[in-house]
Amino acid sequence: MENFLDKSRDEALNENKITNPVNFTSKIYVKVFLYFGLALLISSLTAFGFSSLFYNLLLSDINVDTLIIGYYISLIISVVGMLICSFIVNLYCNKKGKGLIIPYVLYSVFIGVLLSSFTVYLGSPYIFGTALGLTSLIFFGTCLIGALLGDKIKVVYLALVFVLFGIGVICLFNLVLLPLVFTGSQTILSTYGALIWGLEFLFLIVIILYIAIDMNRLKRVALNNGNIIQTNLALYFALNLFTDFINLFIRILRIVAIFAGNKKK
């Protein structure tokens, strides 16, 4: 990556004879987000297809225990496959002649299988729709901010360090507090619960900061590499942004599901 980031913007513009940097930057954004949309589509179809298959099999004569074991095995395989595909895309993103579209598509499928577990567990399109809408607003809003920050992205890195430090402090405090929870003290239990929610909020902030950082990195590569971006590199950035989106979606989905459950009570 550094060989792209180290090149000056003027050199890139001269080499490619580009007079309008906005035009070629837009082309690169379109390419990356088209791959992003492809991954989102594949994962969505896989999630709903896989969960529908699971429900249909539940209604059949197949033994329930066997079906659940098979489902858990498929989730484990998906986790392993997702990690392998992500490693391959990251390893070969700067190398020519290595087609990464297959591991990218497989990564999207594995993500879809994992997301199907939330569909099976929640079984509520309202919760999914609400979480997806909130995720989209936060994600694309953060992408816009990350693209506009430019060199000021250093502030985001600094904020990330402070947030991670805060997470570490709260985790240590919770470890000390955990044995006392079982004493039955309502004050300690409430404090522990509040700290858990604090961690949830901080993890959400970390994901949002990473989205801004990844988008800013994409902009820097776009400006420093002229109007040409290799397909593998576009897939690499699309995978990073797609992973950020899924992580954000899972966090928001969990929060929405908890609030929806509390309202029912």
Side-chain angles (χ1 to χ4, degrees), residues 27 65 76 117 198 257:
K27 290 178 183 178
D65 291 336
I76 293 171
S117 60

Side-chain angles (χ1 to χ4, degrees), residues 6-220:
D6 289 340
K7 291 176 65 179
S8 69
R9 180 181 177 182
D10 292 337
E11 288 176 345
L13 295 176
N14 290 332
E15 288 174 8
N16 294 281
K17 298 180 181 179
I18 300 297
T19 57
N20 188 353
V22 175
N23 286 340
F24 71 73
T25 304
S26 300
K27 290 178 183 178
I28 293 176
Y29 287 161
V30 168
K31 188 173 185 178
V32 170
F33 277 98
L34 279 176
Y35 284 127
F36 171 87
L38 175 64
L40 194 59
L41 177 64
I42 292 172
S43 293
S44 301
L45 293 175
T46 303
F48 287 103
F50 209 75
S51 57
S52 298
L53 176 63
F54 180 78
Y55 278 124
N56 288 330
L57 291 175
L58 275 178
L59 300 175
S60 66
D61 297 329
I62 296 178
N63 183 272
V64 175
D65 291 336
T66 303
L67 181 61
I68 293 174
I69 291 172
Y71 186 71
Y72 279 121
I73 290 174
S74 66
L75 292 179
I76 293 171
I77 292 173
S78 295
V79 170
V80 175
M82 177 192 71
L83 293 174
I84 292 174
C85 290
S86 176
F87 176 77
I88 291 173
V89 172
N90 280 272
L91 183 64
Y92 292 107
C93 65
N94 277 330
K95 297 182 180 179
K96 298 179 181 179
K98 299 285 184 180
L100 296 180
I101 190 65
I102 293 177
Y104 182 78
V105 169
L106 287 176
Y107 179 88
S108 306
V109 171
F110 290 137
I111 289 287
V113 174
L114 293 174
L115 288 177
S116 70
S117 60
F118 294 98
T119 311
V120 170
Y121 178 73
L122 295 173
S124 172
Y126 169 76
I127 293 176
F128 257 80
T130 303
L132 184 60
L134 289 172
T135 302
S136 299
L137 285 174
I138 295 172
F139 177 81
F140 288 109
T142 307
C143 281
L144 179 61
I145 293 171
L148 295 175
L149 278 175
D151 294 335
K152 294 179 182 178
I153 195 67
K154 295 175 183 178
V155 176
V156 178
Y157 280 104
L158 185 62
L160 181 61
V161 171
F162 279 109
V163 173
L164 291 174
F165 178 76
I167 289 174
V169 171
I170 294 177
C171 286
L172 288 174
F173 192 75
N174 268 5
L175 286 175
V176 175
L177 203 62
L178 183 60
L180 301 176
V181 171
F182 300 102
T183 61
S185 172
Q186 190 62 39
T187 303
I188 293 175
L189 188 61
S190 299
T191 304
Y192 185 79
L195 289 173
I196 291 296
W197 273 108
L199 279 175
E200 192 73 33
F201 175 75
L202 289 177
F203 278 122
L204 190 63
I205 295 297
V206 167
I207 295 170
I208 291 173
L209 292 176
Y210 268 113
I211 293 171
I213 290 170
D214 285 338
M215 190 64 196
N216 187 266
R217 288 173 62 220
L218 172 60
K219 181 181 179 180
R220 288 166 61 198

Side-chain angles (χ1 to χ4, degrees), residues 217-235:
R217 288 173 62 220
L218 172 60
K219 181 181 179 180
R220 288 166 61 198
V221 169
L223 291 175
N224 291 323
N225 197 39
N227 66 335
I228 299 173
I229 184 170
Q230 297 295 332
T231 298
N232 285 353
L233 195 57
L235 287 169

Side-chain angles (χ1 to χ4, degrees), residues 231-264:
T231 298
N232 285 353
L233 195 57
L235 287 169
Y236 165 78
F237 279 108
L239 183 138
N240 282 344
L241 291 171
F242 175 64
T243 303
D244 292 337
F245 183 90
I246 295 299
N247 286 331
L248 182 63
F249 173 71
I250 290 173
R251 285 287 169 185
I252 292 178
L253 180 63
R254 183 175 180 274
I255 294 171
V256 171
I258 291 173
F259 275 103
N262 290 337
K263 283 185 178 180
K264 289 181 180 179

